[in-house]
Amino acid sequence: MKHHLAMGLGGTLLSAATVLAQVPPLTLPDASPRASVSQTVGLTDITITYHRPGVNKRKIWGGLVPYNEVWRAGANENTTIAFSTPVAVGDHELAAGAYGLHMIPSEKEWTVIFSSMSRAWGSFSYDPKEDVTRMTVTPETADFEERLSYRFEDPTEDGVIVLLHWEKLQVAFPIRVDTKSVVFESLKGQLRGLPRFSWQGWNQAAQWCLRNDVEMDQALAWADQSIATQTTFQNLRTKAAILEKKGDAKTAADLRERAFKIATEADINLYGYQLLQQNKLDEAIAMFKKNVKDHPESWNTYDSLGEGYAAKGDKKLAIENYRKALSMTTDPAQKKRITEVLTKLKA
C-alpha cells in the first residue's frame, strides 16, 4: 500500500514540476528600461530603439563600457536605428530599413557602426562582416546624465543630428536625407491612389515641383492632367507659372487671363490672401476690389477688402469696407468679430 502511494505521489510531483517548467516568468520592471525616439525629416521617419542603463555610481567609460571594444550602444538587445526611406550616413547611402547600432568607444575617437543585423542580443554575436558602414566621431564632455539617452537635434528639411548622452559624455553623428527625391518618388506613388481621381492631387504635385524647382517636365505633365480632370483657376495658374519658369511667358500670360475668366469669388478671395501673406499689399487689394466689383452682394468681399486696407495702414478705407460688411452679414459671430475689428481701428 505504501509502495503504491509513493508511486502515486512521485507521479504527481513529476507532473507539477513539468507544469511549473512551462509557466512563463512574471513581467517585472527592467533595470534598463526600453525606450524609443523618433524624428521625421521631410517625409522620412527615423526611429532609434534602445534600453537605458543607469550610471548607478559606476565608472562608465573605460569601466562598465570598455575602451576599444564593440558596445551595443545601450543595454540588453542591440540598439537599432530604422529609416523609412533611404538616407546618407557619412559618405555612405543606407537603404530604408532597420540597422543594428553599435559603437567602439575610445578616449579620443569613437566608431559608430551600422550593422545589417538588427535582432541580436547586445554585441555578443557582432560580426564585422555584417557592417553596412562605419563612421568616426569625436566625443564631447556634457552635463551629467544618469540614464543613457538618445535625442535628435537641429532637424532641417534635409537632415538631423543624432546624439547619444550618458554620464558626462555625448556623441553626435549626422543623418542626411535627399528630401526632394524622397518627396518626388512619394508623389508618384500617391498619384497611383485615390488622389489621381481629382484635379487637386495632380495640381498639388505640380505645385510642389514648381516651388522646389524639381522635375519641371513632370510638373507640367501633372498640371495638364489636373486641367484635363477639371479646369480650375488654380490649375491654370499652376501651369502658367511652370511655363513661365520654362521660358514661355506668352502662353503663361494667356493662361492667367483664361484663369481669371473662370474664377469664382472664393478663388479670387483665396488668391488675394495669398498675396497678402506675401506682403504684396497693392496686388492683394486689387484682387479684393475685383471681387467687390464682381460680387457686390457678398458681405465677405467687403470684409476682405477692409482687411487689405487695414494691412496697408489705410484706416479710413478699412473702416468704410468693414462697416459695409457689418451691415450686410446676418451671422452673429461675424457681426461680433467685425465690430471688434472696427473698435480697434477707431482706437
Side-chain angles (χ1 to χ4, degrees):
M1 182 70 177
K2 290 181 180 180
H3 175 73
H4 290 297
L5 180 59
M7 288 290 291
L9 287 172
T12 301
L13 290 171
L14 181 61
S15 298
T18 302
V19 170
L20 287 172
Q22 296 173 347
V23 174
L26 296 175
T27 300
L28 297 170
D30 196 328
S32 300
R34 187 176 185 275
S36 65
V37 289
S38 297
Q39 177 66 51
T40 299
V41 177
L43 294 181
T44 301
D45 294 324
I46 304 173
T47 301
I48 299 174
T49 303
Y50 65 109
H51 284 75
R52 304 185 63 184
V55 174
N56 293 329
K57 300 180 180 179
R58 297 175 291 185
K59 176 179 172 58
I60 301 302
W61 312 117
L64 180 67
V65 179
Y67 286 134
N68 304 312
E69 294 182 17
V70 178
W71 173 51
R72 72 191 86 182
N76 302 338
E77 298 99 331
N78 62 251
T79 299
T80 64
I81 185 166
F83 311 105
S84 65
T85 74
V87 303
V89 176
D91 297 326
H92 193 90
E93 291 190 1
L94 299 181
Y99 297 86
L101 184 63
H102 304 267
M103 299 186 185
I104 303 176
S106 72
E107 293 188 67
K108 294 184 178 180
E109 289 185 333
W110 283 37
T111 302
V112 179
I113 304 168
F114 295 81
S115 170
S116 61
M117 169 51 69
S118 62
R119 301 179 304 280
W121 181 270
S123 297
F124 299 105
S125 65
Y126 166 76
D127 186 343
K129 294 178 183 177
E130 295 169 332
D131 286 3
V132 179
T133 189
R134 290 183 169 202
M135 64 189 307
T136 301
V137 296
T138 303
E140 298 178 349
T141 57
D143 293 336
F144 180 81
E145 181 87 357
E146 171 63 27
R147 286 198 177 273
L148 183 149
S149 67
Y150 284 90
R151 64 179 182 269
F152 295 97
E153 292 195 338
D154 303 324
T156 68
E157 191 174 280
D158 299 304
V160 70
I161 302 297
V162 176
L163 191 144
L164 176 153
H165 186 182
W166 194 23
E167 200 248 4
K168 293 183 178 180
L169 179 145
Q170 64 183 25
V171 174
F173 59 89
I175 303 291
R176 300 191 314 280
V177 181
D178 185 353
T179 294
K180 288 184 179 180
S181 176
V182 169
V183 174
F184 181 69
E185 291 301 316
S186 174
L187 289 174
K188 290 197 294 184
Q190 290 180 64
L191 289 172
R192 300 290 296 274
L194 286 177
R196 71 178 290 105
F197 298 107
S198 72
W199 69 266
Q200 290 95 332
W202 300 103
N203 188 59
Q204 287 171 2
Q207 277 281 349
W208 181 86
C209 290
L210 175 64
R211 289 194 304 272
N212 291 277
D213 197 18
V214 171
E215 300 286 348
M216 297 308 294
D217 288 340
Q218 182 62 74
L220 183 58
W222 284 342
D224 282 336
Q225 182 59 53
S226 178
I227 292 167
T229 304
Q230 182 181 334
T231 303
T232 69
F233 174 80
Q234 289 92 335
N235 55 28
L236 286 175
R237 289 187 58 81
T238 297
K239 182 175 180 179
I242 294 169
L243 288 173
E244 189 169 62
K245 181 166 279 193
K246 289 171 68 69
D248 190 350
K250 183 181 184 306
T251 306
D254 292 342
L255 281 171
R256 289 192 179 99
E257 184 177 348
R258 181 183 168 195
F260 278 114
K261 289 179 180 178
I262 65 170
T264 66
E265 176 190 344
D267 288 334
I268 298 300
N269 196 57
L270 177 60
Y271 180 46
Y273 277 107
Q274 290 172 347
L275 292 169
L276 209 59
Q277 290 173 355
Q278 297 167 19
N279 206 34
K280 297 178 179 179
L281 303 183
D282 290 335
E283 293 178 52
I285 289 170
M287 289 299 102
F288 293 142
K289 288 174 72 174
K290 171 179 167 54
N291 245 1
V292 166
K293 180 181 178 182
D294 294 343
H295 304 280
E297 75 290 349
S298 171
W299 70 267
N300 191 55
T301 62
Y302 295 96
D303 182 71
S304 297
L305 183 54
E307 187 168 347
Y309 280 125
K312 192 175 181 180
D314 191 333
K315 288 188 177 182
K316 180 181 178 181
L317 288 176
I319 290 171
E320 179 182 316
N321 282 279
Y322 272 125
R323 281 177 174 169
K324 181 69 173 178
L326 181 62
S327 69
M328 295 175 68
T329 183
T330 58
D331 186 331
Q334 296 295 347
K335 282 183 174 293
K336 181 176 182 297
R337 178 185 63 80
I338 296 171
T339 298
E340 290 172 352
V341 171
L342 283 167
T343 300
K344 290 179 181 178
L345 284 170
K346 294 174 183 176

